[in-house]
Amino acid sequence: MIRLGSNSPTRALILKNFGINFIQNGGDFDEDSIITTNPKSFCYEATIGKFDELYKKHGIKDMPLLVADSVVTCEGKLLRKAKDLADAKAMLELQSGNKTSVITCMIYKSKEKELIDISITTYEFEKFDKNHMQEYLDSGECFGKAGAIMVEGFCKPYIKSVTGYESTAMGLCVEKLKPYL
């Protein structure tokens, strides 16, 4: 049993699908306190901040702690969670017909082991259909997702090529985590 230090339903689903027993306890770390605009640095700093908060609160005496964060980058721009509909639309328009990378950082700590990993999965997308994109925006599914993308949903039919693990793009590189459990 591990403690998933995240409120993400997608991260919980990844662990469930891989048969990993967990309890979920997210935190309140303020990502807006991070000033860097470098996508990899931002992702690392957010993960460290979340880990430190939850480690102080829960420790690892009862069970190991797993924390992760993801960001999206396209054309060197840091794409976080959309603030509103216009922000989500701008992010999707930037990624349409373009290469987009999802960066996920995770920290796993037990009494015996510690893993700090930064993984990147890069997608090349076909142009998004404008009507389909509008339906996706109207559905609200784009909110709460880094870069407003959902590679397991809306983006799937537009994937031209992929380098890396889909789990990384969904928010947790479980393939790298499993050997540590």
Side-chain angles (χ1 to χ4, degrees):
M1 177 81 71
I2 66 172
R3 181 180 315 278
L4 173 61
S6 170
N7 294 316
S8 167
T10 305
R11 288 189 183 100
L13 183 63
I14 291 168
L15 293 178
K16 184 179 174 189
N17 287 345
F18 277 80
I20 299 168
N21 292 325
F22 67 96
I23 61 168
Q24 192 168 10
N25 300 114
D28 298 314
F29 178 74
D30 179 15
E31 291 182 7
D32 290 332
S33 67
I34 300 170
I35 54 173
T36 185
T37 57
N38 177 289
K40 196 182 283 187
S41 294
F42 182 94
C43 192
Y44 177 73
E45 289 179 37
T47 306
I48 289 286
K50 291 175 181 183
F51 179 84
D52 288 346
E53 174 196 348
L54 293 168
Y55 185 79
K56 285 175 189 159
K57 186 175 183 179
H58 300 289
I60 56 167
K61 289 178 194 150
D62 299 340
M63 67 188 73
L65 176 61
L66 171 66
V67 176
D69 193 69
S70 298
V71 297
V72 171
T73 182
C74 184
E75 295 184 1
K77 295 181 174 98
L78 171 63
L79 305 178
R80 295 176 53 202
K81 293 175 185 157
K83 291 177 178 38
D84 55 33
L85 205 55
D87 194 25
K89 185 175 182 181
M91 288 184 200
L92 291 172
E93 286 174 344
L94 176 66
Q95 296 172 79
S96 180
N98 214 337
K99 282 191 177 183
T100 297
S101 294
V102 182
I103 303 168
T104 294
C105 180
M106 72 174 156
I107 299 174
Y108 169 80
K109 186 170 178 65
S110 69
K111 291 177 187 170
E112 303 83 25
K113 299 174 187 168
E114 183 173 20
L115 166 68
I116 300 174
D117 177 74
I118 296 178
S119 297
I120 300 173
T121 297
T122 301
Y123 291 91
E124 185 175 358
F125 293 125
E126 301 281 352
K127 283 270 189 198
F128 299 152
D129 177 82
K130 291 201 182 292
N131 291 332
H132 188 215
M133 187 171 80
Q134 192 58 54
E135 287 171 16
Y136 174 61
L137 289 165
D138 291 343
S139 77
E141 286 183 295
C142 58
F143 294 106
K145 307 279 185 200
I149 62 169
M150 191 174 178
V151 295
E152 71 277 19
F154 165 74
C155 296
K156 201 160 197 88
Y158 303 104
I159 297 171
K160 195 192 255 188
S161 68
V162 60
T163 305
Y165 293 112
E166 183 177 68
S167 68
T168 295
M170 292 173 65
L172 182 65
C173 189
V174 73
E175 291 85 355
K176 290 185 179 178
L177 173 64
K178 279 201 76 145
Y180 287 80
L181 302 180

